Amino acid sequence: MRARTVWQALMLPPWRFLPSRWPWLALAYTATSATLTLILIPILVATIFLLPLWGILVAAIERRRLRILGLPTPPSGHVHIPHDERRNWLNIRLMEPATWRETASLLTGLVLGSLAVVALFAQVMAFAVLIAIPVMASRHTTDISLFGDTKIVLGPETWWYPLLLVPVALLVFAYLNAMLSAVQGSCTRWLTAPRIAEMDQRVEQLTRSRVAIVTAHENERQRIERDLHDGVQQELVGIAARLGILELELRGGTEEAKKHALRAAQEQTERALTSLRETVRGIHPAVLSDYGLPAALEELAGRSTVPLHIDDLGFPRLDPAAEAAGYFFITEALTNTAKHTTAPRLNVTLTTNNEHARIEARDDGHGGANISQGSGLRGLAERADTLGGELHMSSPPGGPTILTLTLPAATHLSNPTTEVPGANPSR
């Protein structure tokens, strides 16, 4: 059986445990524990009043260190804090049981880390002695006192006797490091793992997100149905009527009447196509799938009634759901700018870093907007939360209004470099 965790490795017989990778992994874990302890003790003495905050930080590090031991990494027991509640972050965290469990984990880690410091020091000293004695004995006779009057005499011919203890020391210290790391890792995992109540709270949050997604999809379906009924369907009915008139004119009308009926049918068909294109764009623009968000916004700028300026600072390709959320975020911002402000244009900035992609929409209108008063922005906020992102609004009276959408920056395609056919430059 192949050991997958440090506990399983401790069950192996010595002749399988010692040549495996686990003694080295246990040594690495023990060494990092000792290093963290030596770094944290003076810091905590100087900032003892920040102990809970240090507990949160160190617990996040310790959860990742569990991978060294092959132990499952527990999720954080902290609740997700919406962006508009971030100002109360400290109060919320101090009221959570997870914070105090992580503080207990920090103190437990310091105790076990101190044991790791002692164990590593003893190992270094033991191997130093086992190496130094043969070196001294190879040059001249050396007396070694063991217990009381018991002595061992080593000389140039018997200098190698202490080296027989090296395999024993390796085995003992390997098991010692593995036991220390296994105990500390298990304590860390038990203290930092979420409890049943916290997991129920997460399930409730996920349930709310799922309900929000289902509701958003149903609203979108109804919107598409309404657009098709009120737009495309009416235009198709108009085409049918025009074709009926054209048929009557072809039977007995004048040449001029026939041409007029044909032109009317052609114009009605073009209007139906235009209405259908607008409806399709509202569902999911093809340029968004083919070329990404910056290109789709360039195309949107070409047909927007509100001037749209786009500043692309190296925006990557995102997950399709994230790109769709970003596109409809800008269309909603354009709609709000046209309806509720006197801003001359909408400025969009696209930026990214290693973890997040950021879309900022800014208008210099009169401000005073509230995200809770708009169903469109509320729906986008719920969609962003479902995708692991955030929607934030800043709109003081007098302006400007700044909408910021943050999404995970996990990319699946490189940035598009192909020129988009028909795309107009930013206005």
Side-chain angles (χ1 to χ4, degrees):
M1 181 186 70
R2 181 182 179 184
R4 297 185 180 275
T5 67
V6 66
W7 284 112
Q8 294 177 0
L10 284 169
M11 301 298 115
L12 296 174
W15 58 86
R16 290 187 57 192
F17 173 75
L18 196 60
S20 69
R21 62 192 176 104
W22 290 106
W24 298 105
L25 293 176
L27 177 61
Y29 189 91
T30 304
T32 53
S33 296
T35 304
L36 281 174
T37 300
L38 295 175
I39 293 174
L40 286 173
I41 286 179
I43 293 177
L44 292 177
V45 170
T47 59
I48 188 66
F49 57 93
L50 296 177
L51 186 61
L53 301 182
W54 284 114
I56 295 173
L57 174 62
V58 174
I61 298 173
E62 292 293 343
R63 277 192 288 268
R64 287 165 174 78
R65 286 209 309 139
L66 291 176
R67 300 171 186 170
I68 300 176
L69 305 177
L71 299 176
T73 303
S76 172
H78 298 291
V79 299
H80 173 72
I81 301 178
H83 198 284
D84 55 354
E85 292 291 334
R86 289 294 174 87
R87 61 182 180 276
N88 298 321
W89 180 88
L90 181 60
N91 293 332
I92 294 173
R93 287 291 180 253
L94 291 178
M95 293 175 63
E96 291 180 318
T99 298
W100 299 104
R101 289 200 309 273
E102 291 174 346
T103 303
S105 174
L106 170 60
L107 297 176
T108 304
L110 290 177
V111 173
L112 295 175
S114 300
L115 293 178
V117 172
V118 174
L120 289 176
F121 179 77
Q123 294 172 42
V124 171
M125 293 303 298
F127 282 112
V129 170
L130 289 176
I131 293 173
I133 290 177
V135 172
M136 295 171 58
S138 65
R139 297 178 180 177
H140 53 80
T141 302
T142 303
D143 295 339
I144 301 174
S145 298
L146 295 179
F147 305 102
D149 296 333
T150 304
K151 293 184 178 180
I152 296 178
V153 179
L154 297 177
E157 296 181 355
T158 58
W159 63 269
W160 52 272
Y161 285 177
L163 298 180
L164 297 176
L165 297 176
V166 171
V168 178
L170 286 174
L171 186 63
V172 171
F173 292 146
Y175 272 101
L176 176 62
N177 293 335
M179 183 59 68
L180 282 174
S181 60
V183 170
Q184 183 173 356
S186 297
C187 290
T188 298
R189 187 169 181 271
W190 181 75
L191 287 170
T192 60
R195 299 304 186 255
I196 294 178
E198 295 164 355
M199 295 178 70
D200 290 342
Q201 189 175 16
R202 287 195 167 199
V203 170
E204 182 181 353
Q205 183 180 9
L206 290 174
T207 303
R208 287 197 303 267
S209 298
R210 185 179 66 178
V211 171
I213 292 173
V214 172
T215 303
H217 285 179
E218 178 61 20
N219 292 338
E220 186 70 9
R221 185 194 65 78
Q222 293 177 358
R223 183 190 68 81
I224 294 171
E225 181 181 358
R226 185 171 59 252
D227 290 347
L228 290 174
H229 180 273
D230 298 341
V232 179
Q233 179 175 310
Q234 298 301 319
E235 298 293 344
L236 293 177
V237 170
I239 291 176
R242 292 292 182 184
L243 291 175
I245 295 173
L246 177 60
E247 182 182 8
L248 293 176
E249 295 295 343
L250 289 175
R251 289 179 180 177
T254 63
E255 289 297 323
E256 185 63 28
K258 293 177 183 178
K259 292 179 180 180
H260 177 74
L262 179 59
R263 283 195 300 269
Q266 290 174 334
E267 292 172 357
Q268 188 68 39
T269 303
E270 291 175 358
R271 285 195 295 270
L273 288 173
T274 301
S275 178
L276 181 60
R277 290 192 190 99
E278 293 297 327
T279 302
V280 170
R281 285 196 186 105
I283 297 173
H284 192 89
V287 67
L288 181 63
S289 300
D290 296 338
Y291 298 99
L293 183 60
L297 295 182
E298 293 284 355
E299 191 269 342
L300 178 63
R303 54 187 174 85
S304 172
T305 57
V306 177
L308 178 61
H309 176 76
I310 303 164
D311 189 11
D312 179 11
L313 303 178
F315 201 78
R317 292 303 304 266
L318 304 179
D319 181 82
E323 288 188 335
Y327 180 82
F328 290 113
F329 165 69
I330 298 300
T331 59
E332 182 68 23
L334 278 172
T335 301
N336 292 340
T337 301
K339 286 184 177 180
H340 306 298
T341 73
T342 57
R345 68 177 183 175
L346 183 70
N347 297 303
V348 175
T349 304
L350 306 175
T351 58
T352 186
N353 56 31
N354 292 332
E355 297 181 357
H356 297 97
R358 188 168 179 268
I359 307 169
E360 181 184 285
R362 172 187 176 122
D363 71 64
D364 296 324
H366 50 73
N370 191 335
I371 195 171
S372 62
Q373 296 177 353
S375 59
L377 288 177
R378 281 202 309 272
L380 287 171
E382 292 169 350
R383 181 185 290 194
D385 183 65
T386 303
L387 295 171
E390 291 180 342
L391 179 63
H392 176 65
M393 170 183 280
S394 172
S395 184
T401 296
I402 302 175
L403 288 166
T404 305
L405 178 64
T406 304
L407 296 168
T411 59
H412 71 287
L413 293 171
S414 60
N415 267 333
T417 56
T418 307
E419 185 73 19
V420 182
N424 294 329
S426 302
R427 294 188 291 163

